[in-house]
């Protein structure tokens, strides 16, 4: 297993290298001059040249690229062109906010989606199954911002029991402010989890080894939770992994609706101001998170089902 983990990490390294290279060149081919965007069209040529010098934009592209690679390997993402603050510091300040939102959303999504998916599979073709599938369809079809607005209308305005914006202070304050945005994303994830869990469970239930287990008189709960559920979780874990990566990189909408500072809002602000260092840092961090989650998902497969554990 240790060799597999090392091999998996080594495989991720060229992927990360290619991705961050694409980030660098992709940002450089965008039209427009970042110095003009930051200082405005009325800025003097002297001021524009000074800012280009500060941002390293006057250097040849290949030289900019190697400086970028060297600094990235050292964990130095430069200085924000807009605020003059360290990019690494701003990423570290905002990253925990997005991570805690993603973690609590996944916990809520799994806590609601997996049990309902199991229930729907066990009650196949009944009213309970139809009701759960209808809820799942609504959750998947509705856009996230609509859920967010409904949550604010119900739980912040009509029944003012949860705050609709900010991070809060202290452990309890942060959890209190985190509840509504986490529930918003969690309900959407739960809808996806219901469908995948139900479909995966039904696929396993109809297999030969399950019929054999039932014929041997093994209790139904043991058949469902020990045999069916364990084998059904692999595609579900894949969905969770994909959703976590999309949450980290795409939480901007929910962070904006609930006025939460995070990586998403930081990246959007950087795009609007053409702050290359900040945007590069956000995209590289997204890349690292995606690779990390993919490695964790791959490793988790072998723990859920030892039969697919790599030699």
């Amino acid at each position: 297993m240790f060799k597999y983990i090392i091999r998996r990490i080594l495989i991720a390294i060229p992927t990360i290298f290619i991705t961050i290279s694409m980030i660098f060149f992709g940002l450089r081919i965008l039209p427009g001059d970042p110095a003009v965007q930051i200082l405005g069209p009325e800025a003097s040529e002297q001021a524009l040249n000074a800012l280009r010098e500060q941002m390293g934009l006057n250097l040849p592209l290949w030289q900019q690229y190697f400086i970028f690679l060297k600094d990235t390997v050292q964990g130095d993402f430069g200085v924000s062109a807009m605020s003059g603050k360290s990019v690494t510091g701003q990423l570290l300040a905002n990253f925990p906010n997005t991570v805690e939102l993603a973690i609590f959303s996944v916990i809520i999504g799994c806590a609601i989606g997996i049990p309902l998916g199991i229930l729907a599979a066990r009650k196949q073709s009944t009213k309970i199954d139809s009701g759960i599938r209808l809820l799942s369809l609504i959750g998947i079809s509705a856009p996230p911002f609509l859920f967010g607005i409904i949550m604010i209308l119900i739980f912040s305005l009509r029944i003012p029991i949860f705050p609709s914006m900010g991070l809060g202070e202290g452990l309890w304050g942060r959890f209190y402010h985190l509840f509504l945005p986490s529930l918003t994303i969690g309900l959407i994830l739960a809808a996806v989890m219901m469908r995948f869990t139900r479909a995966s469970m039904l696929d396993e239930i109809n297999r030969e080894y399950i019929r054999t287990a039932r014929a041997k008189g093994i209790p139904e709960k043991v058949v469902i939770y020990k045999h069916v559920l364990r084998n059904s979780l692999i595609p579900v874990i894949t969905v969770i992994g994909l959703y976590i990566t999309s949450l980290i990189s795409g939480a901007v909408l929910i962070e904006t609706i609930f006025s939460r500072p995070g990586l998403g809002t930081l990246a959007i602000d950087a795009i609007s101001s053409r702050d290359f260092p900040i945007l590069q840092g956000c995209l590289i961090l997204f890349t690292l998170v995606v690779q990390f989650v993919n490695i964790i998902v791959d490793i988790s497969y072998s723990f859920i089902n030892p039969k697919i554990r790599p030699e």
Side-chain angles (χ1 to χ4, degrees):
M1 176 56 73
F2 179 72
K3 288 182 180 177
Y4 172 72
I5 295 173
I6 296 298
R7 190 165 67 242
R8 188 64 185 77
I9 293 172
L10 292 176
I11 291 172
I13 290 175
T15 307
I16 294 172
F17 171 75
I18 293 171
T19 306
I20 64 174
S21 298
M22 291 172 64
I23 290 170
F24 174 85
F25 289 108
L27 291 177
R28 272 20 180 224
I29 63 174
L30 288 176
D33 186 339
V36 175
Q37 185 74 20
I38 293 169
L39 296 180
E42 305 299 327
S44 66
E45 192 60 32
Q46 185 179 5
L48 291 173
N49 280 331
L51 183 56
R52 293 188 189 109
E53 185 75 24
Q54 177 192 334
M55 297 175 68
L57 299 175
N58 286 335
L59 296 173
L61 190 60
W62 66 268
Q63 199 170 343
Q64 293 182 44
Y65 176 63
F66 283 107
I67 293 174
F68 162 76
L69 285 183
K70 182 182 69 117
D71 291 343
T72 300
V73 170
Q74 295 174 348
D76 180 7
F77 298 112
V79 175
S80 167
M82 295 296 292
S83 66
K85 297 179 181 177
S86 164
V87 173
T88 305
Q90 293 190 60
L91 292 177
L92 292 177
N94 286 274
F95 186 57
N97 302 333
T98 301
V99 169
E100 70 181 16
L101 175 62
I103 290 175
F104 277 93
S105 301
V106 170
I107 291 173
I108 292 173
C110 292
I112 298 173
I114 292 179
L116 288 179
I118 295 172
L119 181 62
R122 296 189 64 181
K123 304 291 184 182
Q124 184 186 11
S125 302
T126 64
K127 290 182 179 179
I128 294 176
D129 181 28
S130 301
I132 292 174
R133 282 193 291 163
L134 178 62
L135 289 176
S136 172
L137 188 61
I138 294 171
I140 293 173
S141 304
F145 73 86
L146 181 60
F147 270 127
I149 293 172
I150 291 174
M151 290 294 165
I152 292 174
L153 286 175
I154 296 177
F155 296 111
S156 290
L157 299 179
R158 300 286 295 181
I159 311 172
I161 53 177
F162 290 106
S164 62
M165 61 178 64
L167 288 175
E169 295 181 358
L171 183 62
W172 170 245
R174 289 185 72 88
F175 179 76
Y176 190 46
H177 283 73
L178 187 62
F179 183 78
L180 278 190
S182 298
L183 183 63
T184 301
I185 302 176
L187 288 177
I188 298 169
L189 175 60
V192 179
M193 301 293 293
M194 284 179 212
R195 294 183 70 88
F196 270 87
T197 304
R198 178 185 180 277
S200 187
M201 290 276 294
L202 290 177
D203 184 55
E204 288 296 325
I205 284 175
N206 294 322
R207 291 183 184 271
E208 187 66 31
Y209 76 95
I210 296 299
R211 285 196 287 270
T212 304
R214 284 171 169 162
K216 288 181 178 179
I218 297 176
E220 184 65 13
K221 285 188 178 179
V222 176
V223 171
I224 294 295
Y225 292 104
K226 184 177 179 181
H227 300 288
V228 177
L229 181 59
R230 190 174 66 180
N231 293 327
S232 304
L233 281 180
I234 290 178
V236 177
I237 292 293
T238 304
V239 174
I240 293 174
L242 292 173
Y243 213 84
I244 290 176
T245 57
S246 65
L247 271 179
I248 295 291
S249 58
V252 56
L253 192 59
I254 299 302
E255 288 176 352
T256 302
I257 290 174
F258 289 94
S259 301
R260 286 179 58 85
L263 280 186
T265 50
L266 190 66
I268 290 298
D269 291 343
I271 291 171
S272 60
S273 60
R274 295 184 65 80
D275 194 337
F276 276 177
I278 287 285
L279 189 54
Q280 282 178 170
C282 289
L283 295 176
I284 291 170
L285 192 54
F286 292 152
T287 302
L288 295 177
V289 169
V290 168
Q291 290 300 322
F292 175 76
V293 172
N294 285 337
I295 291 172
I296 296 298
V297 168
D298 287 349
I299 294 172
S300 68
Y301 290 160
S302 59
F303 284 101
I304 294 171
N305 189 348
K307 291 180 180 177
I308 62 173
R309 183 170 296 176
E311 297 297 332

